[in-house]
Amino acid sequence: MGESKEELAFQEKIDNDIKIEPKDWMPDEYRQMLIRQVSQHAHSEIVGMLPEGNWITRAPSLRRKVGLLAKVQDEAGHGLYLYSATESLGIDRIKLIQQLHNGESKYSNIFNYPTLTWADIGAIGWLVDGAAIMNQVSLQRTSYGPYSRAMVRICKEESFHQRQGYEIMTALSNGTDKQKAMAQDATNRFWWPSLMMFGPSDKDSIHSSKSMIWKIKRESNDELRQQFVDRAIAQGELIGMTFPDPDLKWNEETGHYDFGEIDWAEFKNVINGNGPCNKERIRARVKADVDGKWVRDAALAYANNV
Amino acid sequence: MSQNDSLYSYCLRLGDNSLILGHRLSEWCGHGPFLEEDIALTNIALDLVGQSRMFLQYAAELKGGDSTEDSLAYLREEREYLNALLSEQPNGDFAVTNSKNYLFSVFNYHLYSELSNSKDEKIKAIAEKSIKEVAYHVRHCGKWMVRLGKGTEESHQRLQDAVNDIWMYTDDMFESDENTDLLVEQGMAANLNKVRSNWLKDVTEQLKEATIDIPTDTWMMKGSLQGKHSEHLGFLLAEMQTIPRTFPNSEW
Amino acid sequence: MSEKETEDSQLPLWEVFIQSKPGLAHKHAGNVHATDGEMALQNARDVYGRRNEGISMWVVPANAITASTPEDQGSFFDPANDKVYRHPTFYELKDGVKFM
């Protein structure tokens, strides 16, 4: 590794699990890697509001309506905490939002899939939030202080999100044949994209190794994915859901479920802009930003005048 | 009409107001002018839907049978909805949304102040809980009236246009009928003349501070108390009620 | 719609401090963007107070805060390390003394 005094001191802190704080010296690559990861995470929260937001006005009961509304609102809050952590690395939120809008910065692929039925709201809460939480719990121990603190807060708040989704799935699976079919269809569509959420396999991930040495990430993509599969299968069985993977089976030797090969070609294709909803998502964000400009300008002008 | 039926209609009126206003506001979720305000708008929407649920639950109780908050929200038709016309108006730009919410919040504030003294214990309890939420809505939206009114030329113009456009629906909030009047006499419902004069006083003051003119000689549209709505409500309900109507007799 | 034309200026940053219970100190909770103090306070309430987090809030313009830097660490904080006489355990007490 680079041997300057600062670098050695930095790595020593990391090795001793001492958090890095905004004003501390850090390698430029560490800073850039964090900006990239934390802002992507923030963007995912904000873009993630859209597919679920679709169903706020169509939630089938008032109880479901307030639950979903509160959940989507939390995502705005989580995006805010994460932008705030990114800003502590010396980059403005406004710049980060521009990077999202012009495609320079990515967000989680899963949100490029459409929400077609009410059951999708259940499946997203159960599987997508389930996968996200797996990652976020692990990230509470990340080496960058502001990121870690944001994660602690987010994990505390997220705990109702997955339950909310699983409860929807449970209600559907106890319901009419049509409702059961709706739930199964949503599970089928969201299963593979949820597995993709953990990112490329460890052997193909270009960012993973450095990220582990610097403890930005604490567990590898494949480790987290496996944990997720093991838990989700058990939860699914409890509500009578099956999973669209013929290779899925319990492996007595490893103590884990084996599962089939992820379609990485689809993953790359969607990430590169060819998912069903990539354009709509960004268009919606850009529109909100453009439509909001006169409001922000007015508030700024007012503050400068008084 | 029996007192029970009058109370039922009265609770529907109050519950529908909050439900429809809250529903409109929930359309903003994910599309706000900036992140913090997005969260603020949703907070208000959540308060409103929460208030609505309390009134509709009470209404369901009064109606009896297998009536629930959801059967009332999801299975009544346009002509059976009793929300004031202002609540159902489309969101428009942020100036329209904020004006609508401001004018309605001030109304709700004075309404709930009166209802905090209601002889009906349930209504009194709902009003006492809701008034704290509504006081915040007034503060939040009221401050935005001033920011927009005194912000830029563009924001001032948009706000003035918004107020001009929706002013015609304001009278409808204060509509009453014989049954409601009877409830007022019995000390259960709010005296809307009193609510109206307090409302007008606050609104006049706030708009003056925001340098916005109150429209004069506006033709006032009314009719919501007889279930005569603007065309917008039908579309809103079609969207809101789609699942329970497509899949009848299902639990969600 | 051109995405390039967003020559937006950033809304200023405010740091948020929340008192969770009477008697406790206000503690840093995070930050919000806002144009004026009232907006910052309301945003703080809506963002950091959604789950009964507090009974009182402060908001402070982030640029009004002067912070020590890691370079200050030596001269600021190390000198306190060897002033053991500031701590009660430095002083010896006769056996059996109570309430001291």
Side-chain angles (χ1 to χ4, degrees):
Chain A
M1 306 230 35
E3 303 310 331
S4 79
K5 222 171 99 189
E6 283 114 339
E7 275 172 68
L8 287 172
F10 172 82
Q11 190 62 48
E12 196 186 321
K13 267 197 206 166
I14 300 266
D15 294 342
N16 290 315
D17 281 331
I18 295 173
K19 301 281 185 226
I20 306 300
E21 293 297 334
K23 291 193 168 190
D24 291 346
W25 185 91
M26 61 187 86
D28 196 49
E29 201 186 338
Y30 176 81
R31 186 185 299 274
Q32 295 313 324
M33 208 179 252
L34 269 171
I35 291 179
R36 185 181 144 277
Q37 179 172 331
V38 186
S39 67
Q40 269 190 26
H41 198 160
H43 298 328
S44 302
E45 297 281 353
I46 300 306
V47 177
M49 296 171 75
L50 299 170
E52 286 181 280
N54 276 337
W55 285 89
I56 290 172
T57 53
R58 291 178 288 172
S61 73
L62 296 180
R63 182 171 179 273
R64 292 285 177 229
K65 198 186 203 59
V66 290
L68 182 59
L69 197 48
K71 173 182 190 263
V72 179
Q73 181 197 39
D74 266 354
E75 278 153 20
H78 299 169
L80 193 150
Y81 307 155
L82 289 163
Y83 280 130
S84 161
T86 323
E87 286 184 284
S88 72
L89 292 158
I91 180 164
D92 283 347
R93 192 207 282 178
I94 215 162
K95 174 92 183 127
L96 297 168
I97 289 175
Q98 276 165 7
Q99 289 175 348
L100 169 68
H101 293 178
N102 65 25
E104 227 175 282
S105 186
K106 303 271 186 241
Y107 53 89
S108 182
N109 230 3
I110 192 91
F111 303 119
N112 290 321
Y113 292 87
T115 46
L116 301 177
T117 69
W118 171 250
D120 290 13
I121 300 307
I124 287 181
W126 170 38
L127 297 173
V128 176
D129 285 79
I133 289 165
M134 208 65 112
N135 211 1
Q136 286 164 346
V137 166
S138 167
L139 285 171
Q140 291 182 101
R141 297 185 297 122
T142 187
S143 60
Y144 185 57
Y147 191 24
S148 156
R149 291 192 285 277
M151 279 297 123
V152 170
R153 200 179 176 95
I154 288 172
C155 285
K156 224 195 261 171
E157 298 187 350
E158 287 254 350
S159 50
F160 93 83
H161 293 188
Q162 196 188 10
R163 282 186 182 211
Q164 183 249 187
Y166 192 66
E167 196 193 85
I168 291 173
M169 294 302 274
T170 309
L172 293 174
S173 69
N174 289 333
T176 62
D177 288 348
K178 276 190 172 175
Q179 286 177 303
K180 282 180 196 158
M182 194 192 272
Q184 184 59 58
D185 170 57
T187 305
N188 292 347
R189 280 182 289 111
F190 278 95
W191 175 249
W192 286 111
S194 299
L195 295 193
M196 294 177 195
M197 281 175 72
F198 295 93
S201 173
D202 294 347
K203 57 184 193 305
D204 303 318
S205 178
I206 40 171
H207 299 288
S208 266
S209 68
K210 200 108 196 216
S211 184
M212 297 285 280
I213 292 170
W214 280 337
K215 297 188 182 171
I216 296 177
K217 279 166 92 162
R218 301 304 305 257
E219 283 160 282
S220 79
N221 295 352
D222 287 336
E223 283 165 0
L224 290 168
R225 186 165 18 236
Q226 183 67 57
Q227 278 181 43
F228 170 73
V229 170
D230 291 346
R231 290 186 192 181
I233 301 299
Q235 292 160 353
E237 278 173 358
L238 221 55
I239 52 170
M241 289 295 119
T242 61
F243 296 88
D245 179 359
D247 296 327
L248 196 65
K249 62 170 188 295
W250 178 251
N251 184 327
E252 203 63 60
E253 232 164 81
T254 59
H256 294 289
Y257 279 93
D258 290 337
F259 53 94
E261 188 60 32
I262 290 170
D263 183 354
W264 292 114
E266 176 184 324
F267 178 76
K268 288 207 181 86
N269 196 31
V270 176
I271 260 200
N272 290 327
N274 299 320
C277 300
N278 301 50
K279 287 204 181 71
E280 282 99 321
R281 300 293 182 243
I282 292 301
R283 215 176 277 150
R285 288 312 313 161
V286 171
K287 182 175 186 320
D289 195 51
V290 170
D291 289 351
K293 185 168 187 302
W294 72 267
V295 180
R296 300 189 297 273
D297 286 347
L300 280 166
Y302 171 75
N304 290 333
N305 290 338
V306 286
Chain B
M1 201 185 252
S2 71
Q3 189 190 56
N4 193 76
D5 289 347
S6 299
L7 259 183
Y8 168 70
S9 293
Y10 192 62
C11 287
L12 284 185
R13 169 82 163 171
L14 299 180
D16 290 351
N17 273 346
S18 299
L19 179 59
I20 300 302
L21 195 64
H23 182 96
R24 279 288 187 226
L25 210 42
S26 77
E27 294 171 5
W28 272 97
C29 186
H31 308 276
F34 55 98
L35 210 39
E36 283 85 351
E37 185 58 20
D38 201 307
I39 294 171
L41 291 170
T42 306
N43 257 358
I44 300 179
L46 280 166
D47 287 344
L48 289 167
V49 179
Q51 290 164 17
S52 166
R53 290 183 69 189
M54 292 189 284
F55 282 119
L56 293 183
Q57 280 162 11
Y58 186 28
E61 205 179 288
L62 290 163
K63 189 173 184 209
D66 48 12
S67 178
T68 64
E69 57 171 25
D70 286 328
S71 70
L72 293 176
Y74 288 92
L75 301 175
R76 275 181 304 142
E77 295 158 28
E78 289 93 318
R79 299 281 279 110
E80 297 169 305
Y81 257 81
L82 297 178
N83 61 289
L85 299 174
L86 183 61
S87 63
E88 73 206 28
Q89 297 312 305
N91 284 333
D93 63 5
F94 184 72
V96 173
T97 295
N98 193 69
S99 304
K100 193 170 62 170
N101 283 313
Y102 170 69
L103 296 172
F104 223 108
S105 301
V106 178
F107 168 77
N108 273 340
Y109 181 80
H110 291 297
L111 179 75
Y112 292 151
S113 301
E114 291 296 307
L115 292 179
S116 300
N117 301 313
S118 171
K119 287 196 175 133
D120 184 283
E121 288 301 321
K122 284 248 166 85
I123 291 184
K124 179 179 153 76
I126 300 173
E128 282 172 343
K129 181 180 182 296
S130 304
I131 196 165
K132 293 182 203 157
E133 296 169 345
V134 171
Y136 184 77
H137 305 169
V138 171
R139 178 170 167 179
H140 185 82
C141 302
K143 190 69 197 182
W144 269 111
M145 293 302 276
V146 178
R147 283 192 200 101
L148 298 181
K150 290 183 166 175
T152 61
E153 240 174 78
E154 181 184 359
S155 69
H156 178 89
Q157 193 55 53
R158 281 176 183 262
L159 186 63
Q160 185 66 63
D161 291 347
V163 171
N164 292 350
D165 278 352
I166 62 175
W167 195 257
M168 65 185 281
Y169 302 110
T170 52
D171 254 12
D172 177 69
M173 289 190 289
F174 304 99
E175 281 293 275
S176 192
D177 55 22
E178 273 175 28
N179 298 315
T180 314
D181 291 343
L182 207 60
L183 288 177
V184 176
E185 273 171 40
Q186 291 159 340
M188 293 185 169
N191 178 337
L192 288 174
N193 290 326
K194 200 169 161 198
V195 172
R196 185 197 198 106
S197 67
N198 287 331
W199 176 84
L200 193 61
K201 186 169 157 284
D202 286 359
V203 168
T204 306
E205 242 169 65
Q206 186 76 299
L207 289 190
K208 195 175 164 205
E209 194 194 340
T211 66
I212 292 296
D213 298 325
I214 291 187
T216 47
D217 296 330
T218 308
W219 174 76
M220 289 289 180
M221 185 165 158
K222 295 175 199 172
S224 64
L225 215 50
Q226 293 83 45
K228 290 185 208 154
H229 291 274
S230 53
E231 287 181 342
H232 307 296
L233 183 67
F235 291 99
L236 186 155
L237 292 181
E239 185 173 340
M240 185 173 98
Q241 299 179 336
T242 174
I243 299 181
R245 289 199 183 276
T246 312
F247 306 94
N249 306 317
S250 306
E251 296 288 325
W252 300 96
Chain C
M1 211 177 305
S2 151
E3 288 144 43
K4 292 276 182 262
E5 77 183 34
T6 40
E7 271 173 45
D8 236 331
S9 35
Q10 170 111 338
L11 309 191
L13 199 61
W14 301 66
E15 298 297 335
V16 178
F17 300 84
I18 303 183
Q19 184 184 29
S20 57
K21 276 189 229 157
L24 296 183
H26 284 69
K27 199 176 153 204
H28 186 239
N31 54 38
V32 291
H33 288 274
T35 53
D36 55 66
E38 172 69 12
M39 192 197 287
L41 204 52
Q42 292 189 8
N43 290 348
R45 179 253 192 204
D46 287 327
V47 173
Y48 295 102
R50 297 201 301 284
R51 289 176 168 83
N52 291 323
E53 283 92 339
I55 54 158
S56 162
M57 276 183 175
W58 294 342
V59 289
V60 183
N63 63 14
I65 294 176
T66 309
S68 68
T69 65
E71 292 77 58
D72 291 333
Q73 212 172 341
S75 62
F76 261 54
F77 306 113
D78 289 355
N81 278 347
D82 63 351
K83 310 292 194 292
V84 284
Y85 46 81
R86 285 203 176 100
H87 300 276
T89 47
F90 178 73
Y91 301 94
E92 286 172 23
L93 283 188
K94 197 174 160 56
D95 286 348
V97 177
K98 287 179 180 166
F99 308 118
M100 200 176 277

